[in-house]
């Protein structure tokens, strides 16, 4: 691994480039998150407020002795099936054409992985991704092929565009200027990423999303890309990402977080370093949000975001809590 980009380097770089409108926060006080060694007690961490209900479903699996792989699938199924969660699965915001297209990936402790991208008309893409992992020797299926595969495995085809999502899309279309090529408003990509450790100490991860609202038809983000939106190495740890997928892809974000843990960082440090990489690529002035969550083999957790506003749900020591993520940039 190359020299770690320190906060001092960052401040120097932004001062030289004259882009010091944002400053890096002093996070020393945040790095003391209590993370005891793995006690055999399962832990689940997931992104955003909708992670709370997803965590409950995941912990139900884990507390009855189930595997982390079953837990992450059943957990994120909750967000996928909830029409009020407008960034994942059924009820997700559509692309520029008004079509809901879904991306998802799953990875288990054996290092096997499955993913689907640009999948339409199937409510639970994570379960299709799991079928790809378990029933084929492929990792990813996309578009029409993914849909055919899903139907062949008994998934029901259904319209995923709810009235609420259609209305937001129509409002977006009305707000577009004739002079613009493609100018979406800034929307959070509130993907659900979840990583979990079960009673046996095995790690799994899942990530599922409808992606960027009103995206160009055919756009695929980080969520279905193994190592970008989510990654698991059962010897080391697991990580997942949310936010602007393009930027997570460019740093192989979740793989980077896991590699950081492999080289000795705590999950918190590992997430922060990955966020710093993205900030550095944008010369200290990112105008978007990205965030990472992570767990290591001991059941220690971490979470970090570029900007204020990121929340994560943590099921730890018998309690499911919604937490504000540490953020590295402030105006
Ligand atoms: N992080 C989700 C996406 O950009 O599609």
């Amino acid at each position: 691994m190359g020299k770690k980009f320190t906060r001092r380097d960052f401040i120097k770089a932004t001062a030289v480039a004259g882009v010091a409108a944002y400053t890096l926060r002093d996070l020393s006080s945040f790095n003391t998150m209590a993370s005891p060694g793995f006690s055999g007690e399962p832990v689940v961490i997931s992104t955003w407020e909708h992670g709370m209900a997803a965590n409950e479903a995941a912990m139900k699996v884990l507390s009855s002795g189930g595997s982390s792989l079953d837990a992450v699938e059943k957990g994120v199924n909750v967000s996928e099936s909830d029409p009020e969660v407008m960034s994942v699965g059924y009820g997700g915001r559509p692309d520029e054409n008004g079509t809901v297209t879904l991306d998802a990936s799953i990875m288990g402790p054996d290092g096997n992985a499955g993913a689907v991208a640009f999948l339409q008309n199937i409510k639970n893409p994570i379960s299709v991704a799991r079928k790809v992992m378990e029933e084929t020797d492929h990792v990813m299926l996309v578009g029409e092929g993914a849909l055919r595969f899903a139907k062949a495995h008994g998934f029901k085809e259904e319209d995923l565009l709810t009235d609420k999502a259609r209305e937001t899309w129509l409002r977006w279309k009305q707000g577009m200027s004739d002079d613009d090529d493609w100018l979406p408003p800034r929307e959070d990509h509130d993907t659900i990423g979840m990583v979990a450790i079960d009673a046996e100490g095995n790690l799994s991860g899942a990530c599922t999303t409808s992606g960027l609202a009103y995206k160009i038809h055919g756009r695929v983000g980080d969520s279905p890309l193994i190592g970008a939106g989510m990654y698991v190495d059962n010897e080391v740890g697991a990580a997942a990402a949310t936010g602007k997928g393009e930027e997570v892809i460019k740093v192989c974000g979740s793989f980077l977080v896991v590699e950081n843990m492999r080289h000795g960082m705590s999950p918190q440090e590992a997430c922060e370093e990955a966020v710093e990489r993205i900030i550095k690529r944008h010369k200290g002035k990112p105008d978007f949000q990205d965030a990472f969550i992570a767990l290591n083999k001991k059941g220690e957790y971490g979470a970090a975001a570029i900007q204020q506003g990121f929340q994560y749900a943590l099921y730890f020591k018998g309690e499911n809590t919604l937490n504000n993520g540490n953020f590295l940039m402030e105006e």
Side-chain angles (χ1 to χ4, degrees):
M1 195 172 73
K3 180 180 172 292
K4 184 174 181 292
F5 180 72
T6 63
R7 295 192 172 83
R8 182 173 303 167
D9 291 338
F10 173 79
I11 289 160
K12 263 200 254 162
T14 53
V16 169
V19 287
Y22 292 72
T23 54
L24 205 58
R25 301 174 69 221
D26 177 3
L27 292 171
S28 47
S29 62
F30 286 111
N31 287 330
T32 54
M33 193 180 278
S35 299
F38 186 58
S39 57
E41 206 174 330
V43 182
V44 184
I45 183 167
S46 64
T47 54
W48 304 110
E49 190 175 354
H50 49 253
M52 291 294 286
N55 278 8
E56 291 290 344
M59 192 50 84
K60 206 167 157 192
V61 173
L62 293 169
S63 54
S64 56
S67 70
S68 56
L69 186 61
D70 286 341
V72 295
E73 181 193 3
K74 297 296 169 233
V76 302
N77 277 165
V78 172
S79 305
E80 289 179 332
S81 300
D82 184 348
E84 294 304 315
V85 179
M86 296 185 72
S87 48
V88 182
Y90 175 59
R93 291 189 189 84
D95 67 10
E96 61 179 357
N97 295 350
T99 307
V100 180
T101 75
L102 304 177
D103 299 338
S105 63
I106 192 162
M107 197 163 181
D110 60 358
N112 210 357
V116 289
F118 194 54
L119 176 63
Q120 295 164 45
N121 297 340
I122 301 290
K123 196 185 254 183
N124 294 119
I126 201 72
S127 298
V128 184
R130 184 165 177 181
K131 284 277 181 222
V132 173
M133 176 173 83
E134 292 180 341
E135 307 290 335
T136 79
D137 63 354
H138 306 329
V139 170
M140 183 187 284
L141 296 179
V142 305
E144 183 60 31
L147 176 60
R148 270 194 221 165
F149 173 85
K151 283 162 62 180
H153 283 82
F155 289 85
K156 193 171 75 169
E157 202 172 0
E158 54 197 306
D159 184 4
L160 303 182
L161 186 65
T162 58
D163 288 345
K164 192 169 167 185
R166 183 182 291 108
E167 276 159 27
T168 67
W169 169 67
L170 286 173
R171 268 202 304 280
W172 169 78
K173 269 178 84 79
Q174 281 157 8
M176 274 184 63
S177 154
D178 289 343
D179 300 332
D180 291 333
D181 176 10
W182 180 73
L183 195 63
R186 198 175 141 194
E187 299 257 7
D188 281 332
H189 321 201
D190 299 352
T191 300
I192 186 157
M194 174 182 282
V195 292
I197 187 164
D198 60 30
E200 305 208 328
N202 287 319
L203 292 153
S204 297
C207 190
T208 175
T209 190
S210 51
L212 175 66
Y214 326 129
K215 59 198 174 187
I216 294 175
H217 188 65
R219 181 259 189 195
V220 169
D222 60 318
S223 304
L225 303 182
I226 303 300
M230 184 274 305
Y231 192 69
V232 177
D233 182 327
N234 199 42
E235 287 184 1
V236 177
T242 183
K244 189 174 180 191
E246 284 74 5
E247 305 308 325
V248 173
I249 292 169
K250 288 173 200 166
V251 299
C252 297
S254 293
F255 181 72
L256 175 60
V257 172
V258 172
E259 287 304 290
N260 284 342
M261 292 192 281
R262 186 191 310 282
H263 294 293
M265 290 188 201
S266 68
Q268 184 61 33
E269 290 167 339
C271 290
E272 287 176 10
E273 202 277 339
V275 168
E276 284 178 1
R277 292 268 189 119
I278 295 174
I279 293 170
K280 188 181 174 194
R281 286 197 71 262
H282 289 268
K283 300 191 166 47
K285 210 177 173 183
D287 63 353
F288 53 84
Q289 178 69 299
D290 276 317
F292 295 99
I293 55 169
L295 268 184
N296 69 11
K297 275 300 270 184
K298 290 193 262 176
E300 296 170 331
Y301 59 88
I306 296 175
Q307 297 176 29
Q308 191 163 22
F310 171 61
Q311 292 189 305
Y312 64 97
L314 176 71
Y315 214 126
F316 187 72
K317 291 194 167 187
E319 214 188 336
N320 195 19
T321 56
L322 185 64
N323 303 271
N324 293 320
N326 299 343
F327 54 99
L328 275 68
M329 304 298 302
E330 65 184 354
E331 282 187 74

